[in-house]
Amino acid sequence: MAILVIAEHTNVALGAATLNTVAAAKAIGGDIHVLVAGAECAAVAEAAAKIDGVSKVLSADNAAFAHQLPENIAPLIAEVGKNYTHILASATSNGKNILPRVAALLDVDQISEIIAVESADTFKRPIYAGNAIATVQSNAAIKVITVRGTGFDAVAAEGGSASIEALTVGGDAGISAFVGEELAKSDRPELTAAKIVVSGGRGMQNGDNFEMLNRVADKLGAAVGASRAAVDAGFVPNDMQVGQTGKIVAPDLYIAVGISGAIQHLAGMKDSKVIVAINKDEDAPIFQVADYGLVADLFEAIPELEKAL
Amino acid sequence: MKVLVAVKRVVDYNVKVRVKADNTGVDLANVKMSMNPFCEIGVEEAIRLKEKGIATEVVVVSIGPNAAQEQLRTALALGADRAILVECNDELRSLTVAKLLKAVVDQEQPQLIMLGKQAIDTDNNQTGQMLAALTGYAQGTFASKVEVAGDKVNVTREIDGGLQTVALNLPAIVTTDLRLNEPRYASLPNIMKAKKKPLEIITPDSLGVSTASTVTTLKVEAPAARSAGIKVKDVAELVEKLKNEAKVI
């Protein structure tokens, strides 16, 4: 068996999620190759070659791949992927965008967001916002899979010495173009990679009050997240959303502040190692999953917490 | 310009589903069913395009059981002009759904096709992208803004870490994210009017699409339960526990 892992990257740096996806590939077992499709992405290919357990890196360096447009990249992956038994990508916004297009080009079903590998053809994945876990088996010749990073412990980024092979296939399909990008600039760690996450909900009352959480987060080296209710209310942007329809996180410590604990939100954070809930409503469902619950007014508790850290 | 919107009948998002005792699936007997929330956003966006004079006709299509007519009627009440139900009682995989939608696209020739980014039952997030592959169209997934400009559509997408805008040649596929719009409610007169709007029922066979799949669900289980921990009395105790008991800070 040979497994093709699609690297997550920014053209200059390898995305951490790739290490979790390689871990899933290791659990399946077989020769692991990593495809780096990008533009002027040599540094990424070199980083990928050092990943523990990777035997070959395929580097497709082409201006058409600069912005990961699926119209250009999916045909490349489908072409290269024909020679593999499995094609894996991280269940990031990029992986989710591209891989189903690849699966359809190969005329195979995709298995989304696996959290465990039972065998080379059998996987576990959450459905209904994580309220049920399905075990699914695929008899497709090529198994196309996205991997939820929180289900697999990252492999070491160093230690491997894979060969790098340059690919010259692919180009611009000519039906889509990149216009622009607005990326949130933050010195805080990325939500899905942070060891500690502090999240606020509707109880925060407005966007300005999130500044209180930012200060706590900065003391803890944490990322700041939000519930869908807080996003819907316009307090904070959607890329901060933790939940079924937002980001799935599983940090060592998750602090939920003014979050009631809707199913939708729990789906995005209940695999965290330690959960703290601060809410003034002692009947809030969030307390049913919290290791440590504090029934208190967050506007008193959060400044106090900031001082105590 | 004709806009086609795909809608799915799913368990209502407020329902807490339970896994069946025999682990064959989740119990959907006597459970409230609704239009998938992301599909609702798709319908709303299409109707807004019509109100702006950009769309000339909004056609909604659903692939599912006979009862999915309810969701199609809802879409008609919201302002869609016409509905198509591809009636099928089997649980279909996304690739099959995409193939059925491709057949509908071939017949209807829409310029813009809107879908929800994912259905809240299977959480696959596949169908729009697969339909884009099968039609050869460009795709704008996880859209938070859609602007039609001449023979192109500019789509602003919710991506990890921010927003990305792409320009797509029409015809194109757009999948909706939460912030694209806030769907309206149907008024009673419009609900009554919707009953008279055309709703055509066809079968997968008539579209020449096989519903076979390479994926089998072996079992469905409840997730490992997380037990409630303890309540702490104040911030000081919380910090002490996190430092000395949980050792996470």
Side-chain angles (χ1 to χ4, degrees):
Chain A
M1 283 194 300
I3 303 169
L4 184 66
V5 171
I6 313 305
E8 177 79 18
H9 66 90
T10 59
N11 289 325
V12 287
L14 185 72
T18 311
L19 302 176
N20 304 86
T21 304
V22 170
K26 271 190 160 178
I28 293 167
D31 218 9
I32 302 172
H33 297 177
V34 173
L35 172 65
V36 177
E40 294 175 36
C41 54
V44 178
E46 279 163 32
K50 291 189 188 128
I51 300 175
D52 180 38
V54 173
S55 64
K56 187 161 50 163
V57 172
L58 303 168
S59 171
D61 199 326
N62 188 318
F65 304 147
H67 300 289
Q68 302 289 316
L69 293 176
E71 296 79 9
N72 300 348
I73 287 198
L76 166 79
I77 298 175
E79 179 61 33
V80 176
K82 271 195 248 170
N83 307 317
Y84 293 84
T85 55
H86 298 72
I87 303 175
L88 269 58
S90 308
T92 54
S93 60
N94 193 44
K96 289 177 189 174
N97 189 30
I98 293 174
L99 216 62
R101 194 168 178 122
V102 174
L105 290 175
L106 292 169
D107 195 22
V108 293
D109 294 291
Q110 174 179 300
I111 301 174
S112 292
E113 303 221 22
I114 63 163
I115 53 168
V117 172
E118 299 290 285
S119 71
D121 65 1
T122 307
F123 311 92
K124 282 187 191 286
R125 62 177 301 265
I127 54 175
Y128 291 91
N131 285 303
I133 306 296
T135 304
V136 294
Q137 187 173 39
S138 163
N139 61 18
I142 305 172
K143 289 158 187 67
V144 177
I145 296 167
T146 59
V147 176
R148 183 176 286 188
T150 56
F152 300 88
D153 289 331
V155 298
E158 301 282 336
S161 56
S163 58
I164 300 176
E165 185 183 312
L167 299 179
T168 51
V169 288
D172 191 344
I175 53 173
S176 60
F178 172 81
V179 176
E181 214 163 46
E182 283 172 57
L183 297 181
K185 286 189 182 65
S186 170
D187 297 331
R188 296 189 193 96
E190 213 263 312
L191 257 180
T192 53
K195 292 246 183 286
I196 302 178
V197 173
V198 183
S199 284
R202 203 194 296 274
M204 296 304 295
Q205 294 180 1
N206 61 49
D208 292 341
N209 289 334
F210 268 76
E211 198 46 47
M212 291 167 35
L213 300 188
N214 291 346
R215 289 197 294 267
V216 170
D218 288 342
K219 283 208 160 175
L220 291 167
V224 178
S227 68
R228 176 168 163 182
V231 172
D232 277 351
F235 299 171
V236 290
N238 191 41
D239 64 329
M240 285 172 65
Q241 190 201 146
V242 173
Q244 177 192 17
T245 54
K247 298 211 166 64
I248 311 290
V249 302
D252 292 342
L253 173 60
Y254 187 89
I255 305 178
V257 182
I259 291 177
S260 63
I263 303 166
Q264 197 313 113
H265 185 72
L266 301 184
M269 47 63 82
K270 66 185 168 57
D271 293 329
S272 304
K273 290 200 180 72
V274 175
I275 297 174
V276 170
I278 301 175
N279 202 304
K280 67 179 175 199
D281 173 11
E282 64 178 316
D283 296 323
I286 189 80
F287 287 120
Q288 290 164 21
V289 300
D291 299 283
Y292 301 106
L294 175 60
V295 180
D297 181 347
L298 69 94
F299 294 101
E300 286 164 21
I302 296 302
E304 223 180 295
L305 178 62
E306 187 196 336
K307 274 191 216 116
L309 293 170
Chain B
M1 168 171 103
K2 187 194 276 189
V3 181
L4 181 73
V5 189
V7 302
K8 185 176 183 185
R9 175 184 169 90
V10 298
V11 63
D12 187 84
Y13 75 100
N14 281 314
V15 171
K16 178 151 174 44
V17 296
R18 285 197 176 74
V19 169
K20 284 187 199 166
D22 64 1
N23 292 120
T24 54
V26 300
D27 193 355
L28 294 179
N30 304 315
V31 164
K32 186 182 178 202
M33 303 295 280
S34 297
M35 192 191 303
N36 180 45
F38 291 103
C39 303
E40 235 179 323
I41 294 172
V43 172
E44 175 67 32
E45 195 66 16
I47 294 164
R48 288 187 190 188
L49 285 172
K50 197 178 171 199
E51 287 167 348
K52 283 183 203 156
I54 295 168
T56 48
E57 187 183 24
V58 176
V59 181
V60 285
V61 55
S62 188
I63 293 162
N66 192 271
Q69 285 185 65
E70 287 169 30
Q71 281 63 45
L72 289 172
R73 289 287 173 205
T74 302
L76 293 171
L78 291 170
D81 298 296
R82 184 157 69 78
I84 303 167
L85 172 64
V86 182
E87 191 177 338
C88 183
N89 289 312
D90 305 334
E91 193 187 319
L92 300 180
R93 303 288 170 184
S94 302
L95 182 63
T96 310
V97 173
K99 286 179 180 174
L100 290 165
L101 290 175
K102 161 76 163 60
V104 173
V105 167
D106 286 346
Q107 286 180 3
E108 295 285 335
Q109 299 287 318
Q111 284 294 295
L112 189 64
I113 302 140
M114 316 255 332
L115 304 91
K117 75 165 178 180
Q118 73 192 65
I120 60 165
D121 50 3
T122 53
D123 285 333
N124 275 325
N125 195 335
Q126 298 175 3
T127 306
Q129 296 89 315
M130 288 179 159
L131 179 60
L134 299 177
T135 53
Y137 297 164
Q139 67 187 57
T141 54
F142 327 145
S144 65
K145 198 171 165 195
V146 175
E147 284 178 317
V148 177
D151 59 353
K152 287 194 173 14
V153 57
N154 284 318
V155 180
T156 301
R157 309 178 49 237
E158 306 262 4
I159 60 168
D160 295 339
L163 298 171
Q164 180 196 59
T165 303
V166 289
L168 312 176
N169 288 8
L170 292 171
I173 312 273
V174 170
T175 78
T176 62
D177 213 322
L178 277 182
R179 291 198 303 171
L180 181 58
N181 60 49
E182 243 179 81
R184 70 193 67 190
Y185 294 96
S187 67
L188 190 60
N190 284 342
I191 292 171
M192 300 311 288
K193 259 193 256 169
K195 291 184 179 166
K196 296 198 181 102
K197 289 185 179 175
L199 193 163
E200 184 192 1
I201 300 179
I202 54 177
T203 62
D205 278 351
S206 74
L207 295 171
V209 175
S210 150
T211 56
S213 157
T214 56
V215 178
T216 318
T217 299
L218 301 180
K219 63 180 172 187
V220 175
E221 299 161 294
R226 196 175 175 114
S227 49
I230 57 161
K231 290 261 168 67
V232 293
K233 62 181 190 310
D234 53 25
V235 169
E237 188 189 352
L238 174 63
V239 172
E240 189 274 324
K241 293 277 187 200
L242 291 178
K243 275 188 177 148
N244 302 320
E245 194 176 88
K247 296 189 170 70
V248 285
I249 60 172

